[in-house]
Amino acid sequence: MSKIPRGLTDKDMIKNYVEEETIEQQLLNAAKKAEKLRAIAEAEAPPPQLAKAGFTPELTDKLGKELLALRIELSNAGVKSYNFKIKRDGDRITLTVVDKKLG
């Protein structure tokens, strides 16, 4: 049995001890990191239907933010039941909110 210097406890002697990572643990960590990166990339990609229409992730994000802002405004105005009407006129596409109560 070795002597512990005066004033030191067993906890003091092992408090900075760091166990080396095994190859198995390194592989598991790498697999988890790869899965996280795949999930992030998948989340950033537009849904397949929008991707086919030429929507980039940036455009999808911007459209989503604008639609969310519209939904919040409708909710604040008391409109709870509505549909969207989509109309194309040449190179313009218009999205109009139609209150279900009004017709």
Side-chain angles (χ1 to χ4, degrees), residues 3-72:
K3 281 187 152 185
I4 299 173
R6 189 171 251 229
L8 288 180
T9 65
D10 288 338
K11 287 183 181 180
D12 292 331
M13 293 180 66
I14 62 171
K15 71 178 177 183
N16 292 325
Y17 174 74
V18 178
E19 188 173 348
E20 286 188 34
E21 193 174 46
T22 64
I23 291 176
E24 180 182 19
Q25 191 60 41
Q26 290 174 357
L27 292 173
L28 286 172
N29 289 341
K32 286 178 186 176
K33 185 176 181 181
E35 177 60 26
K36 283 181 184 178
L37 291 174
R38 185 197 62 74
I40 290 170
E42 198 173 271
E44 290 177 351
Q49 303 88 338
L50 293 178
K52 287 179 186 177
F55 277 60
T56 63
E58 295 81 18
L59 185 57
T60 304
D61 186 52
K62 186 174 181 179
L63 178 61
K65 286 178 181 178
E66 292 299 327
L67 287 171
L68 178 61
L70 177 60
R71 289 180 63 200
I72 291 170

Side-chain angles (χ1 to χ4, degrees), residues 63 66-68 70-71 74 82-89 92-98:
L63 178 61
E66 292 299 327
L67 287 171
L68 178 61
L70 177 60
R71 289 180 63 200
L74 289 169
Y82 55 88
N83 284 326
F84 291 114
K85 180 180 174 187
I86 300 173
K87 180 181 174 187
R88 180 173 175 247
D89 184 21
R92 291 179 177 257
I93 296 176
T94 307
L95 179 84
T96 307
V97 176
V98 179

